[in-house]
Amino acid sequence: MINVALIYSYFAVASSAGVIYDWALGFGQEIELVWRQRWSLMTLLYLSVRYFGIVFVVTNIMYNAPTIPMTGTVSLIVSIVQNWINFLATVIIGVIMIVRLRAVYQGSTKVMAFLIVAFLAIVIFYCAFDIIATSHLSGEELILSYTYRCDVVFEGGDSTLMYTVTWILITAWEVVAVCLTAWIAVKHFRELRRHSGRDIVEDGLAVLVKSHVAYFASFIAASSFELGYLSPVVSMSNSNSLGPAIYAGVASIFSLIQLFVLGPRLILCIRKHYARVEAESSATIGLSSIAFQERVHVQTSTSV
């Protein structure tokens, strides 16, 4: 069993370190596009999902690293914190999706009413599932092959049904969001063929669609792995089998990428695009001004 635990810990620590590396790599861009800009709802949403992710991966390393000893109580607290961070990150990204769709649908009342009601229903069910799950967790301390380890186990019976329904609802929400995005994108690109002078708007929409498709693809991969736990082969508690540990490790990689790498980029990529558009526009104005000044100078010299 200790070998199985070590295999999973390698995946968990590596994926967590990857999220921290991604944050560090883009921190300079984050300062320019987020911290130094006027604060808004999207700023708060970005910072929340980004730094909830940092807290999650740090606690994930603490929980899974075999060289860091933890008591059963501390392991239980860390597990509960991680469960609720997952919940909050999912809710925040859902709100980001609603704000993005509100922008592209120009505040359509029907679309907003549908999205808000559907999302609230999913959040309530997900929250109820998390409350039940965390209330039945317990930490136990083990010593395996002279290695100290703490595990958190669920003691509330079979939660398969609620777990399955929760993931189906979340998956349905993501499918609806990507379909609404694709529909408005197709509609706008058709209009682009008939009209001119809307390059900036359409280019921004293209960036939005690309970021949404990348996020949706990672979500489908993560959801497929999560729902795969329903399989008896994957969920079996065979201490001598490395298969479930490797499966869980790969699943954790996709889950972290989806929530804490591609999630924040839903906002960052749009801000990066419009910052580039603004810079190019300023450069064009600057060149026009220089050309105008040179023309005036030449005309004045000629008249003299």
Side-chain angles (χ1 to χ4, degrees):
M1 182 175 178
I2 188 64
N3 291 331
V4 173
L6 283 173
I7 290 295
Y8 176 75
S9 70
Y10 295 151
F11 280 97
V13 172
S15 58
S16 299
V19 172
I20 295 176
Y21 176 75
D22 175 77
W23 166 74
L25 199 63
F27 186 66
Q29 191 177 75
E30 178 182 306
I31 291 177
E32 292 295 328
L33 299 177
V34 179
W35 291 101
R36 292 182 178 177
Q37 303 299 318
R38 183 175 61 87
W39 281 54
S40 63
L41 173 62
M42 297 303 278
T43 303
L44 296 176
L45 293 175
Y46 171 85
L47 294 176
S48 297
V49 72
R50 170 60 85 184
Y51 289 95
F52 275 150
I54 298 299
V55 173
F56 183 94
V57 297
V58 169
T59 56
N60 202 35
I61 292 173
M62 292 171 55
Y63 183 80
N64 289 285
T67 56
I68 301 178
M70 297 179 67
T71 65
T73 302
V74 174
S75 296
L76 178 60
I77 293 172
V78 168
S79 181
I80 292 174
V81 168
Q82 288 184 332
N83 281 340
W84 283 106
I85 287 178
N86 262 323
F87 168 76
L88 290 174
T90 302
V91 172
I92 291 169
I93 292 175
V95 174
I96 292 172
M97 294 293 187
I98 291 175
V99 173
R100 284 159 57 105
L101 288 169
R102 179 180 181 275
V104 297
Y105 277 90
Q106 301 178 348
S108 171
T109 304
K110 292 182 179 179
V111 173
M112 286 300 99
F114 168 73
L115 290 174
I116 291 172
V117 171
F119 187 64
L120 281 177
I122 294 170
V123 168
I124 291 171
F125 193 91
Y126 191 1
C127 183
F129 172 73
D130 250 16
I131 291 173
I132 295 172
T134 54
S135 64
H136 290 87
L137 293 178
S138 65
E140 56 181 23
E141 302 174 10
L142 304 172
I143 298 179
L144 302 170
S145 301
Y146 305 101
T147 301
Y148 184 83
R149 178 174 176 80
C150 293
D151 281 339
V152 175
V153 296
F154 180 75
E155 297 181 340
D158 190 5
S159 62
T160 302
L161 179 59
M162 285 195 69
Y163 176 83
T164 305
V165 173
T166 300
W167 272 102
I168 288 175
L169 289 175
I170 294 173
T171 302
W173 162 260
E174 294 291 348
V175 170
V176 168
V178 77
C179 287
L180 287 173
T181 302
W183 167 254
I184 199 68
V186 170
K187 181 179 177 181
H188 275 276
F189 292 148
R190 284 179 178 174
E191 292 178 358
L192 184 62
R193 296 179 181 179
R194 305 172 188 172
H195 306 284
S196 60
R198 299 180 61 186
D199 294 341
I200 291 178
V201 175
E202 297 303 333
D203 192 22
L205 182 61
V207 172
L208 185 146
V209 171
K210 287 178 182 178
S211 63
H212 200 140
V213 169
Y215 172 82
F216 182 73
S218 69
F219 171 81
I220 290 298
S223 292
S224 299
F225 276 100
E226 290 291 337
L227 293 175
Y229 284 120
L230 300 176
S231 169
V233 177
V234 175
S235 62
M236 65 181 180
S237 57
N238 185 355
S239 60
N240 297 319
S241 175
L242 296 179
I246 295 174
Y247 183 94
V250 175
S252 71
I253 292 175
F254 280 103
S255 179
L256 290 180
I257 290 175
Q258 174 229 331
L259 286 176
F260 304 126
V261 175
L262 296 178
R265 289 185 183 181
L266 291 172
I267 295 176
L268 206 60
C269 67
I270 298 296
R271 291 200 170 189
K272 181 180 178 181
H273 165 72
Y274 283 107
R276 185 178 70 251
V277 169
E278 184 178 352
E280 292 174 353
S281 177
S282 299
T284 303
I285 294 172
L287 289 173
S288 300
S289 177
I290 292 172
F292 175 76
Q293 290 173 5
E294 289 180 348
R295 185 166 60 252
V296 170
H297 176 72
V298 170
Q299 291 174 351
T300 303
S301 299
T302 304
S303 62
V304 173

